[in-house]
């Protein structure tokens, strides 16, 4: 597998994490004191600690840490030596390495261009115009999905470029823009508009493809129903819901009537579903062959038996915090390969310097001068 040097911020670090899951050997370049990834909370403790951040433990798992002062002559020289042993670089930083310099010319070099402001990037992409209720203000999604989306595309692009490098021996330049990655989520809406003038509108919590569809409340959260319009399905649905007003109007079996009275139907279903928990209503819906799903929370997902059985959720055995469940394999992963916990700052300095031909005495001298 390939050796990859990681100097990414949140999106770039996630790309490198995905490459580590795929079996590549990733070296994380850490500045003295740690970088923004290590300083981003929440923290497993009472105070910010670069060794206890949740993002650090997730994004840097499976990597080795090499602390380098790239602003010092000795640190920069070590970095250039490290490049000579690498196959790829994933970076969110502008580095003073020219395109034709031997270290860069023979590598896959992936530049991940992250936006200066997450919210502005989200708004400019067009995504914000598609989320929320039709007559309300645009609504933000929780989490930091735009970094994850950019990281996935950067990882896939880097993996493809590595294949070209192996086949041709020629270095490859890759540029992944967060703004461009976000635009891909709006491509369908753009195509619909330019082709037919159709404007994609916000859906709120009710679907638009089938009449009886949407996210509805239940006892312990929300669930999603999506009734597929096929002959006999309406009657089976009403038999399940057992709502007297829906049962009293046989005309609702037609697609046109369902579209016309969609809000009335969903309001009746809403009153019924509040009697049940997510698991109760979804299990019964699936038993009756109706597409239904819980609106899962992150807590629900950490306990999801399917994710656990498929190996997507695995427990990392961290000597400091015990066993912590982490998602794995968003792109690919090596069967039976254990992920090492996120490294402490500079944990692998001695090991990596030895691979470059430096002795323990050299390591001590470089540490004293602040190069590592």
């Amino acid at each position: 597998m390939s050796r990859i040097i990681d100097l990414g911020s949140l999106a770039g670090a996630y790309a490198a994490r995905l490459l580590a899951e795929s079996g590549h050997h990733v070296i994380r370049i850490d500045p003295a004191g740690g970088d923004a990834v290590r300083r981003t909370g929440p923290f497993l403790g009472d105070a910010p600690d670069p060794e206890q951040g949740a993002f650090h433990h997730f994004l840097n798992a499976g990597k080795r840490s090499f602390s380098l002062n790239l602003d010092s002559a000795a640190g920069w020289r070590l970095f250039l030596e490290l490049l000579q042993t690498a196959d790829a670089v994933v970076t969110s930083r502008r580095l003073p390495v020219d395109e034709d310099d031997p270290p860069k010319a023979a590598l896959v070099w992936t530049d991940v261009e992250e936006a200066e402001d997450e919210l502005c990037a989200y708004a400019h992409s067009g995504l914000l115009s598609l989320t929320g209720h039709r007559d309300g203000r645009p609504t933000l999604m929780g989490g930091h999905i735009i970094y994850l989306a950019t990281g996935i595309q950067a990882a896939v692009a880097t993996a493809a470029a590595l294949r070209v490098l192996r086949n041709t021996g020629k270095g490859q330049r890759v540029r992944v823009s967060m703004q461009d990655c976000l635009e891909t989520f709006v491509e369908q809406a753009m195509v619909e508009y330019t082709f037919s003038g159709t404007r994609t509108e916000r859906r709120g919590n009710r679907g638009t493809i089938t009449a009886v569809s949407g996210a509805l409340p239940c006892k312990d959260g929300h669930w999603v129903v999506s009734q597929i319009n096929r002959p006999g399905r309406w009657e089976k649905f009403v038999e399940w819901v057992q709502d007297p007003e829906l049962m009293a109007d046989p005309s609702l079996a037609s697609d046109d009537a369902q579209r016309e009275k969609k809000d009335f139907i969903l309001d009746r279903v809403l009153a019924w579903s509040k009697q049940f928990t997510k698991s109760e209503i979804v299990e019964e819906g699936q038993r009756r062959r109706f597409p239904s799903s819980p609106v899962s929370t992150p807590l629900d997902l950490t306990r999801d038996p399917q994710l656990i059985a498929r190996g997507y959720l695995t427990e990392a055995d961290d000597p400091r915090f015990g066993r912590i469940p982490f998602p794995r394999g968003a792109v690919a992963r090596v069967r039976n390969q254990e992920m090492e916990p996120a490294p402490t700052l500079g944990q692998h300095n001695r090991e990596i310097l030895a691979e470059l031909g430096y002795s323990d005495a050299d390591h001590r001298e470089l540490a004293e001068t602040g190069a590592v």
Side-chain angles (χ1 to χ4, degrees), residues 58-290:
F58 173 58
L59 296 176
N60 290 333
K63 304 176 185 179
R64 293 193 291 169
S65 172
F66 190 24
S67 61
L68 272 181
N69 180 3
L70 298 183
D71 294 325
S72 72
W76 182 251
R77 184 183 70 250
L78 285 170
F79 177 67
L80 294 179
E81 290 181 28
L82 188 62
L83 290 186
Q84 298 284 355
T85 72
D87 300 291
V89 173
V90 177
T91 180
S92 304
R93 299 177 52 178
R94 293 294 182 186
L95 298 170
V97 180
D98 294 332
E99 293 288 334
D100 298 327
D101 283 353
K104 189 171 184 178
L107 296 172
V108 169
W109 195 281
T110 300
D111 282 307
V112 183
E113 299 177 358
E114 300 193 18
E116 291 186 6
D117 185 89
E118 177 182 2
L119 180 57
C120 290
Y122 187 39
H124 188 266
S125 71
L127 269 173
L128 203 56
S129 71
L130 304 180
T131 51
H133 291 276
R134 181 171 297 180
D135 299 325
R137 290 182 292 177
T139 302
L140 293 171
M141 287 189 289
H144 303 283
I145 190 172
I146 67 175
Y147 293 104
L148 302 179
T150 305
I152 289 173
Q153 296 206 29
V156 171
T158 302
L162 280 167
R163 186 174 181 84
V164 175
L165 175 66
R166 285 195 298 271
N167 291 340
T168 68
K170 296 180 180 179
Q172 303 294 313
R173 304 284 80 76
V174 178
R175 183 186 70 86
V176 179
S177 161
M178 176 178 284
Q179 200 67 57
D180 290 348
C181 290
L182 295 180
E183 305 299 349
T184 64
F185 291 114
V186 196
E187 285 177 349
Q188 180 180 349
M190 289 191 287
V191 169
E192 288 180 351
Y193 179 75
T194 56
F195 184 78
S196 64
T198 301
R199 294 178 181 271
T200 302
E201 297 181 337
R202 296 193 290 273
R203 295 183 179 183
N205 58 6
R206 298 190 171 183
T208 57
I209 296 176
T210 58
V212 183
S213 59
L216 304 174
C218 54
K219 271 187 177 181
D220 58 348
H222 293 78
W223 70 293
V224 164
V225 61
S226 181
Q227 188 213 350
I228 299 174
N229 293 330
R230 293 203 306 262
R233 294 287 283 174
W234 173 256
E235 290 78 8
K236 292 180 182 297
F237 184 71
V238 172
E239 178 187 343
W240 176 29
V241 174
Q242 288 290 305
D243 180 82
E245 294 195 37
L246 297 181
M247 298 173 72
D249 188 353
S251 70
L252 292 175
S254 73
D255 293 348
D256 290 341
Q258 288 176 25
R259 280 190 285 270
E260 180 183 346
K261 298 183 178 180
K262 175 177 181 172
D263 288 338
F264 164 74
I265 295 171
L266 287 176
D267 285 343
R268 298 304 305 168
V269 176
L270 181 154
W272 164 77
S273 66
K274 284 183 176 180
Q275 306 170 68
F276 306 96
T277 66
K278 286 190 288 190
S279 61
E280 289 171 342
I281 202 167
V282 168
E283 287 174 10
E284 181 62 19
Q286 292 177 348
R287 190 185 71 80
R288 292 172 178 265
R289 305 294 185 184
F290 283 99

Side-chain angles (χ1 to χ4, degrees), residues 12-34:
Y14 183 53
R17 153 74 193 240
L18 295 175
L19 292 165
E21 289 181 358
S22 304
H24 296 288
H25 307 294
V26 178
I27 297 175
R28 175 76 178 173
I29 303 299
D30 276 314

